[in-house]
Amino acid sequence: MAVLVSTVALGSTLGLSGCVSSDDEPDRTAPVESTVDGVAVKLLDAGTSPTDPLAWFADDGEQSGKFSVTWGYGQEVIGGDEQGTADGAAPYSELSANLPYTASATTDGDQLESTMTIGTPEGSNEALDDDENGELNDDIATAEGFRMVQKYSDDGKVNNRSFASPENASDSARAAIENNLGQMTSLPLVFPEEAVGEGARWTVTGQIEDSAAGTPMRQTVTYTIASRNGSQVNLDVDIERTPTVKQMAGTDLEVMDSTTESTGSLTLDLRRPLPVSGSVKTTTEITYGQPESPVTVVQESRTTSTWSSDGEQAEN
């Protein structure tokens, strides 16, 4: 069964065991913790007055919406003879998924805890026909009720993340949802400790796995405050990614060059754990080769992450 992950994306299937249940909830496997990589935050510009610290907080409200994700990947071989050019090529293809959710946040006065529960997920794979996509959707629908819990400080730094899958979810559905949520969490919404105002800029730097190409990356996200009104904050988002490996996996081809283009904006409600709206798109190209060879391999990966609240239309 095909799943909503790129064939080259790094995505480990969760090995889940145990079961928890209630009268209202589906039976779920016991929560399994996931690795949380640290990030470094650097303030570039505090912006204009008035300035105030940014901080996440929690109230009794519940958030509902949809997270939509697109992964795209293609590989082109340039140079060499005609046969050599064809070898290793992979036509660009995209996979997409829509994850409806409900989410809430609580606090014990020291740290916050968010709970995100997935509704019935849907998706498509350009490489499949309609019947195969229908089978794929039947498969991933078994992950309805998948839950992610995160514990974090009021600046947004996550220190613990766990997943719990419905007991009857297929292994491929569990892996698909985990990978799609991995794309969400690869954009850390972390604030500087200093007071900031409109126009403020800061960077959040850390390690990620390129969700389409499956390549380890050093990622620097630059956030800019476009506007703020109480708990609502509008951010412009720019992303730069560079490979942290020197060679293509399984080959002797070296990284010769890499570029990243991105565009994005998000609207946050500091009372809610997830963006209420917005979209972030990235395109990364990595060129592999050898210094004395005319042949190069160019890998292109694209990702789009879109958040929408109920009543809004998600656009990929």
Short mmCIF file of all heavy atoms in Angstrom, two decimals, residues 70-126:
data_model
loop_
_atom_site.label_atom_id
_atom_site.label_comp_id
_atom_site.label_asym_id
_atom_site.label_seq_id
_atom_site.Cartn_x
_atom_site.Cartn_y
_atom_site.Cartn_z
N THR A 70 1.97 19.68 1.25
CA THR A 70 2.37 19.15 -0.05
C THR A 70 3.87 18.88 -0.02
O THR A 70 4.65 19.69 0.47
CB THR A 70 2.06 20.14 -1.18
OG1 THR A 70 0.66 20.38 -1.23
CG2 THR A 70 2.51 19.58 -2.53
N TRP A 71 4.25 17.71 -0.54
CA TRP A 71 5.66 17.34 -0.70
C TRP A 71 5.90 17.12 -2.18
O TRP A 71 5.11 16.46 -2.85
CB TRP A 71 5.99 16.03 -0.01
CG TRP A 71 5.47 15.79 1.38
CD1 TRP A 71 4.24 16.09 1.88
CD2 TRP A 71 6.16 15.13 2.42
NE1 TRP A 71 4.13 15.66 3.16
CE2 TRP A 71 5.30 15.07 3.53
CE3 TRP A 71 7.44 14.58 2.52
CZ2 TRP A 71 5.67 14.48 4.73
CZ3 TRP A 71 7.80 13.99 3.72
CH2 TRP A 71 6.92 13.95 4.82
N GLY A 72 6.97 17.64 -2.70
CA GLY A 72 7.31 17.41 -4.10
C GLY A 72 8.79 17.10 -4.24
O GLY A 72 9.63 17.65 -3.51
N TYR A 73 9.12 16.23 -5.19
CA TYR A 73 10.51 15.83 -5.37
C TYR A 73 10.75 15.45 -6.82
O TYR A 73 9.91 14.82 -7.48
CB TYR A 73 10.85 14.63 -4.48
CG TYR A 73 12.25 14.09 -4.68
CD1 TYR A 73 13.34 14.69 -4.07
CD2 TYR A 73 12.47 12.99 -5.51
CE1 TYR A 73 14.63 14.20 -4.28
CE2 TYR A 73 13.75 12.49 -5.71
CZ TYR A 73 14.83 13.11 -5.09
OH TYR A 73 16.09 12.63 -5.30
N GLY A 74 11.93 15.84 -7.34
CA GLY A 74 12.36 15.44 -8.66
C GLY A 74 13.87 15.42 -8.73
O GLY A 74 14.55 16.12 -7.95
N GLN A 75 14.42 14.63 -9.64
CA GLN A 75 15.87 14.53 -9.78
C GLN A 75 16.23 14.53 -11.27
O GLN A 75 15.64 13.79 -12.05
CB GLN A 75 16.39 13.25 -9.12
CG GLN A 75 17.90 13.05 -9.23
CD GLN A 75 18.39 11.92 -8.36
OE1 GLN A 75 18.39 12.01 -7.14
NE2 GLN A 75 18.80 10.82 -8.99
N GLU A 76 17.19 15.37 -11.61
CA GLU A 76 17.63 15.51 -13.00
C GLU A 76 19.13 15.26 -13.08
O GLU A 76 19.89 15.74 -12.23
CB GLU A 76 17.31 16.91 -13.53
CG GLU A 76 17.69 17.14 -14.97
CD GLU A 76 17.36 18.55 -15.43
OE1 GLU A 76 16.99 19.39 -14.58
OE2 GLU A 76 17.49 18.82 -16.64
N VAL A 77 19.54 14.51 -14.08
CA VAL A 77 20.96 14.26 -14.33
C VAL A 77 21.38 15.08 -15.55
O VAL A 77 20.78 14.96 -16.62
CB VAL A 77 21.24 12.77 -14.56
CG1 VAL A 77 22.73 12.53 -14.78
CG2 VAL A 77 20.73 11.94 -13.39
N ILE A 78 22.39 15.92 -15.38
CA ILE A 78 22.82 16.84 -16.43
C ILE A 78 24.24 16.50 -16.85
O ILE A 78 25.12 16.29 -16.01
CB ILE A 78 22.75 18.30 -15.94
CG1 ILE A 78 21.32 18.64 -15.50
CG2 ILE A 78 23.22 19.26 -17.01
CD1 ILE A 78 21.20 19.99 -14.84
N GLY A 79 24.48 16.47 -18.18
CA GLY A 79 25.82 16.20 -18.70
C GLY A 79 26.00 14.74 -19.04
O GLY A 79 25.14 13.89 -18.80
N GLY A 80 27.14 14.43 -19.65
CA GLY A 80 27.40 13.05 -20.06
C GLY A 80 26.70 12.74 -21.37
O GLY A 80 26.12 13.60 -22.02
N ASP A 81 26.74 11.47 -21.79
CA ASP A 81 26.08 11.10 -23.03
C ASP A 81 24.59 10.93 -22.79
O ASP A 81 24.08 11.08 -21.68
CB ASP A 81 26.69 9.83 -23.61
CG ASP A 81 26.65 8.65 -22.63
OD1 ASP A 81 25.76 8.65 -21.75
OD2 ASP A 81 27.51 7.76 -22.74
N GLU A 82 23.88 10.62 -23.84
CA GLU A 82 22.42 10.53 -23.75
C GLU A 82 21.99 9.49 -22.74
O GLU A 82 21.07 9.70 -21.95
CB GLU A 82 21.84 10.20 -25.13
CG GLU A 82 20.32 10.13 -25.14
CD GLU A 82 19.77 9.86 -26.52
OE1 GLU A 82 20.55 9.86 -27.48
OE2 GLU A 82 18.55 9.64 -26.64
N GLN A 83 22.66 8.32 -22.76
CA GLN A 83 22.29 7.27 -21.82
C GLN A 83 22.59 7.70 -20.39
O GLN A 83 21.77 7.51 -19.49
CB GLN A 83 23.05 5.99 -22.14
CG GLN A 83 22.73 4.81 -21.21
CD GLN A 83 21.27 4.41 -21.30
OE1 GLN A 83 20.70 4.44 -22.38
NE2 GLN A 83 20.66 4.07 -20.17
N GLY A 84 23.76 8.32 -20.21
CA GLY A 84 24.13 8.77 -18.87
C GLY A 84 23.18 9.81 -18.33
O GLY A 84 22.90 9.87 -17.14
N THR A 85 22.67 10.68 -19.23
CA THR A 85 21.75 11.71 -18.79
C THR A 85 20.45 11.11 -18.29
O THR A 85 19.84 11.61 -17.34
CB THR A 85 21.45 12.68 -19.95
OG1 THR A 85 22.68 13.27 -20.37
CG2 THR A 85 20.51 13.79 -19.52
N ALA A 86 20.02 10.03 -18.92
CA ALA A 86 18.75 9.43 -18.53
C ALA A 86 18.85 8.67 -17.22
O ALA A 86 17.91 8.62 -16.44
CB ALA A 86 18.23 8.51 -19.63
N ASP A 87 20.01 8.03 -16.99
CA ASP A 87 20.16 7.22 -15.79
C ASP A 87 20.03 8.07 -14.54
O ASP A 87 20.67 9.11 -14.40
CB ASP A 87 21.53 6.53 -15.78
CG ASP A 87 21.59 5.40 -16.81
OD1 ASP A 87 20.52 5.00 -17.29
OD2 ASP A 87 22.72 4.95 -17.11
N GLY A 88 19.20 7.62 -13.60
CA GLY A 88 19.07 8.30 -12.31
C GLY A 88 18.06 9.42 -12.30
O GLY A 88 17.82 10.02 -11.25
N ALA A 89 17.44 9.73 -13.44
CA ALA A 89 16.45 10.81 -13.46
C ALA A 89 15.16 10.35 -12.79
O ALA A 89 14.79 9.18 -12.86
CB ALA A 89 16.16 11.23 -14.90
N ALA A 90 14.49 11.28 -12.13
CA ALA A 90 13.21 11.00 -11.49
C ALA A 90 12.29 12.18 -11.79
O ALA A 90 12.57 13.30 -11.33
CB ALA A 90 13.37 10.82 -9.99
N PRO A 91 11.24 11.98 -12.57
CA PRO A 91 10.33 13.08 -12.88
C PRO A 91 9.76 13.70 -11.61
O PRO A 91 9.48 12.98 -10.63
CB PRO A 91 9.23 12.42 -13.72
CG PRO A 91 9.85 11.16 -14.24
CD PRO A 91 10.82 10.72 -13.18
N TYR A 92 9.57 15.01 -11.63
CA TYR A 92 9.02 15.69 -10.46
C TYR A 92 7.59 15.20 -10.20
O TYR A 92 6.78 15.07 -11.12
CB TYR A 92 9.01 17.21 -10.68
CG TYR A 92 8.47 17.96 -9.49
CD1 TYR A 92 9.30 18.26 -8.42
CD2 TYR A 92 7.14 18.35 -9.44
CE1 TYR A 92 8.82 18.93 -7.30
CE2 TYR A 92 6.65 19.03 -8.33
CZ TYR A 92 7.48 19.32 -7.27
OH TYR A 92 7.00 19.98 -6.17
N SER A 93 7.30 14.91 -8.94
CA SER A 93 5.98 14.41 -8.56
C SER A 93 5.64 14.92 -7.18
O SER A 93 6.54 15.16 -6.36
CB SER A 93 5.96 12.88 -8.58
OG SER A 93 4.67 12.38 -8.25
N GLU A 94 4.35 15.10 -6.91
CA GLU A 94 3.91 15.65 -5.64
C GLU A 94 2.93 14.71 -4.93
O GLU A 94 2.17 13.97 -5.57
CB GLU A 94 3.24 17.01 -5.82
CG GLU A 94 4.19 18.13 -6.16
CD GLU A 94 3.53 19.49 -6.15
OE1 GLU A 94 2.28 19.56 -6.21
OE2 GLU A 94 4.28 20.49 -6.08
N LEU A 95 2.97 14.78 -3.61
CA LEU A 95 2.02 14.12 -2.74
C LEU A 95 1.41 15.19 -1.85
O LEU A 95 2.08 16.17 -1.49
CB LEU A 95 2.69 13.06 -1.86
CG LEU A 95 3.55 12.01 -2.54
CD1 LEU A 95 5.03 12.44 -2.55
CD2 LEU A 95 3.41 10.67 -1.82
N SER A 96 0.15 15.04 -1.50
CA SER A 96 -0.49 16.05 -0.65
C SER A 96 -1.38 15.37 0.37
O SER A 96 -1.83 14.24 0.17
CB SER A 96 -1.31 17.04 -1.48
OG SER A 96 -2.35 16.38 -2.17
N ALA A 97 -1.63 16.08 1.47
CA ALA A 97 -2.50 15.56 2.52
C ALA A 97 -3.20 16.71 3.20
O ALA A 97 -2.67 17.82 3.31
CB ALA A 97 -1.69 14.76 3.54
N ASN A 98 -4.42 16.45 3.65
CA ASN A 98 -5.19 17.40 4.45
C ASN A 98 -5.52 16.74 5.78
O ASN A 98 -6.11 15.65 5.81
CB ASN A 98 -6.48 17.79 3.74
CG ASN A 98 -6.23 18.58 2.47
OD1 ASN A 98 -5.45 19.53 2.47
ND2 ASN A 98 -6.88 18.19 1.38
N LEU A 99 -5.11 17.40 6.86
CA LEU A 99 -5.32 16.85 8.20
C LEU A 99 -6.23 17.78 9.00
O LEU A 99 -5.76 18.80 9.54
CB LEU A 99 -3.98 16.70 8.94
CG LEU A 99 -2.86 15.93 8.24
CD1 LEU A 99 -1.64 15.85 9.15
CD2 LEU A 99 -3.31 14.55 7.81
N PRO A 100 -7.53 17.50 9.07
CA PRO A 100 -8.38 18.29 9.97
C PRO A 100 -8.00 17.98 11.41
O PRO A 100 -7.56 16.87 11.73
CB PRO A 100 -9.80 17.79 9.64
CG PRO A 100 -9.60 16.42 9.10
CD PRO A 100 -8.26 16.42 8.40
N TYR A 101 -8.17 18.96 12.30
CA TYR A 101 -7.72 18.75 13.67
C TYR A 101 -8.53 19.57 14.64
O TYR A 101 -9.19 20.56 14.28
CB TYR A 101 -6.23 19.12 13.82
CG TYR A 101 -5.96 20.59 13.62
CD1 TYR A 101 -6.15 21.52 14.65
CD2 TYR A 101 -5.53 21.08 12.39
CE1 TYR A 101 -5.93 22.86 14.46
CE2 TYR A 101 -5.30 22.43 12.20
CZ TYR A 101 -5.50 23.32 13.24
OH TYR A 101 -5.29 24.67 13.04
N THR A 102 -8.46 19.19 15.89
CA THR A 102 -8.83 20.03 17.02
C THR A 102 -7.61 20.12 17.91
O THR A 102 -6.80 19.18 17.98
CB THR A 102 -10.01 19.46 17.81
OG1 THR A 102 -9.69 18.14 18.26
CG2 THR A 102 -11.27 19.41 16.95
N ALA A 103 -7.44 21.25 18.58
CA ALA A 103 -6.26 21.45 19.42
C ALA A 103 -6.61 22.34 20.60
O ALA A 103 -7.50 23.20 20.52
CB ALA A 103 -5.12 22.08 18.61
N SER A 104 -5.91 22.13 21.68
CA SER A 104 -6.08 22.95 22.88
C SER A 104 -4.77 23.01 23.62
O SER A 104 -3.86 22.21 23.38
CB SER A 104 -7.19 22.38 23.78
OG SER A 104 -6.85 21.08 24.20
N ALA A 105 -4.66 23.98 24.52
CA ALA A 105 -3.45 24.15 25.32
C ALA A 105 -3.81 24.38 26.77
O ALA A 105 -4.83 25.03 27.08
CB ALA A 105 -2.60 25.30 24.80
N THR A 106 -3.00 23.84 27.65
CA THR A 106 -3.16 24.06 29.08
C THR A 106 -1.80 24.45 29.65
O THR A 106 -0.76 24.29 29.00
CB THR A 106 -3.66 22.79 29.80
OG1 THR A 106 -2.71 21.72 29.59
CG2 THR A 106 -5.02 22.36 29.26
N THR A 107 -1.81 24.95 30.87
CA THR A 107 -0.55 25.30 31.53
C THR A 107 -0.64 24.98 33.01
O THR A 107 -1.72 25.08 33.61
CB THR A 107 -0.21 26.78 31.33
OG1 THR A 107 1.05 27.07 31.95
CG2 THR A 107 -1.28 27.68 31.91
N ASP A 108 0.51 24.60 33.56
CA ASP A 108 0.59 24.37 35.00
C ASP A 108 1.26 25.54 35.71
O ASP A 108 1.60 25.46 36.89
CB ASP A 108 1.33 23.07 35.31
CG ASP A 108 2.77 23.07 34.77
OD1 ASP A 108 3.23 24.11 34.26
OD2 ASP A 108 3.43 22.02 34.87
N GLY A 109 1.45 26.64 34.95
CA GLY A 109 2.12 27.81 35.50
C GLY A 109 3.61 27.81 35.25
O GLY A 109 4.26 28.85 35.38
N ASP A 110 4.14 26.65 34.88
CA ASP A 110 5.57 26.53 34.61
C ASP A 110 5.81 26.31 33.12
O ASP A 110 6.63 26.98 32.50
CB ASP A 110 6.15 25.37 35.42
CG ASP A 110 7.65 25.24 35.21
OD1 ASP A 110 8.31 26.26 34.95
OD2 ASP A 110 8.15 24.11 35.32
N GLN A 111 5.09 25.37 32.51
CA GLN A 111 5.18 25.13 31.09
C GLN A 111 3.79 24.88 30.52
O GLN A 111 2.82 24.67 31.26
CB GLN A 111 6.11 23.97 30.78
CG GLN A 111 5.63 22.61 31.24
CD GLN A 111 6.57 21.50 30.80
OE1 GLN A 111 7.54 21.70 30.07
NE2 GLN A 111 6.29 20.28 31.24
N LEU A 112 3.71 24.91 29.20
CA LEU A 112 2.45 24.68 28.52
C LEU A 112 2.44 23.28 27.92
O LEU A 112 3.50 22.70 27.64
CB LEU A 112 2.22 25.72 27.41
CG LEU A 112 2.05 27.17 27.87
CD1 LEU A 112 3.37 27.93 27.67
CD2 LEU A 112 0.93 27.87 27.12
N GLU A 113 1.23 22.77 27.69
CA GLU A 113 1.06 21.49 27.03
C GLU A 113 -0.06 21.61 26.00
O GLU A 113 -1.17 22.03 26.33
CB GLU A 113 0.73 20.39 28.04
CG GLU A 113 0.52 19.02 27.39
CD GLU A 113 0.28 17.92 28.40
OE1 GLU A 113 1.23 17.60 29.14
OE2 GLU A 113 -0.85 17.41 28.46
N SER A 114 0.24 21.27 24.76
CA SER A 114 -0.77 21.30 23.70
C SER A 114 -1.13 19.89 23.29
O SER A 114 -0.27 19.00 23.26
CB SER A 114 -0.27 22.09 22.49
OG SER A 114 0.79 21.42 21.85
N THR A 115 -2.40 19.71 22.95
CA THR A 115 -2.89 18.42 22.46
C THR A 115 -3.57 18.66 21.12
O THR A 115 -4.48 19.47 21.02
CB THR A 115 -3.89 17.79 23.44
OG1 THR A 115 -3.25 17.59 24.71
CG2 THR A 115 -4.40 16.47 22.91
N MET A 116 -3.09 17.96 20.10
CA MET A 116 -3.65 18.06 18.75
C MET A 116 -4.18 16.68 18.36
O MET A 116 -3.44 15.69 18.38
CB MET A 116 -2.56 18.51 17.76
CG MET A 116 -3.01 18.57 16.32
SD MET A 116 -1.61 18.95 15.22
CE MET A 116 -2.47 19.14 13.65
N THR A 117 -5.46 16.63 18.00
CA THR A 117 -6.10 15.38 17.61
C THR A 117 -6.54 15.47 16.16
O THR A 117 -7.23 16.43 15.78
CB THR A 117 -7.30 15.06 18.51
OG1 THR A 117 -6.87 15.04 19.88
CG2 THR A 117 -7.91 13.71 18.16
N ILE A 118 -6.14 14.50 15.36
CA ILE A 118 -6.42 14.51 13.93
C ILE A 118 -7.80 13.91 13.65
O ILE A 118 -8.16 12.86 14.20
CB ILE A 118 -5.35 13.71 13.16
CG1 ILE A 118 -3.95 14.29 13.44
CG2 ILE A 118 -5.63 13.70 11.66
CD1 ILE A 118 -3.78 15.72 13.02
N GLY A 119 -8.56 14.57 12.77
CA GLY A 119 -9.82 14.01 12.29
C GLY A 119 -9.55 13.00 11.19
O GLY A 119 -8.56 12.29 11.22
N THR A 120 -10.43 12.93 10.20
CA THR A 120 -10.24 11.97 9.11
C THR A 120 -9.31 12.56 8.06
O THR A 120 -9.68 13.52 7.37
CB THR A 120 -11.58 11.60 8.45
OG1 THR A 120 -12.47 11.11 9.44
CG2 THR A 120 -11.38 10.54 7.38
N PRO A 121 -8.10 12.04 7.90
CA PRO A 121 -7.14 12.61 6.94
C PRO A 121 -7.49 12.19 5.52
O PRO A 121 -8.08 11.12 5.29
CB PRO A 121 -5.80 12.01 7.38
CG PRO A 121 -6.17 10.73 8.05
CD PRO A 121 -7.51 10.93 8.68
N GLU A 122 -7.12 13.04 4.56
CA GLU A 122 -7.29 12.77 3.14
C GLU A 122 -6.01 13.12 2.42
O GLU A 122 -5.23 13.95 2.89
CB GLU A 122 -8.45 13.58 2.55
CG GLU A 122 -9.80 13.31 3.18
CD GLU A 122 -10.87 14.22 2.62
OE1 GLU A 122 -10.51 15.30 2.08
OE2 GLU A 122 -12.06 13.86 2.72
N GLY A 123 -5.80 12.52 1.25
CA GLY A 123 -4.59 12.85 0.51
C GLY A 123 -4.63 12.34 -0.91
O GLY A 123 -5.58 11.69 -1.34
N SER A 124 -3.57 12.67 -1.63
CA SER A 124 -3.45 12.20 -3.01
C SER A 124 -1.98 12.09 -3.37
O SER A 124 -1.12 12.76 -2.78
CB SER A 124 -4.16 13.15 -3.99
OG SER A 124 -3.54 14.42 -3.99
N ASN A 125 -1.71 11.24 -4.36
CA ASN A 125 -0.37 11.01 -4.86
C ASN A 125 -0.44 11.06 -6.37
O ASN A 125 -1.17 10.29 -7.00
CB ASN A 125 0.12 9.63 -4.38
CG ASN A 125 1.54 9.33 -4.80
OD1 ASN A 125 2.06 9.90 -5.76
ND2 ASN A 125 2.18 8.41 -4.09
N GLU A 126 0.31 12.01 -6.98
CA GLU A 126 0.27 12.17 -8.43
C GLU A 126 0.67 10.91 -9.18
O GLU A 126 0.30 10.72 -10.34
CB GLU A 126 1.17 13.33 -8.86
CG GLU A 126 0.64 14.70 -8.55
CD GLU A 126 1.52 15.79 -9.10
OE1 GLU A 126 2.66 15.50 -9.51
OE2 GLU A 126 1.07 16.96 -9.14
#
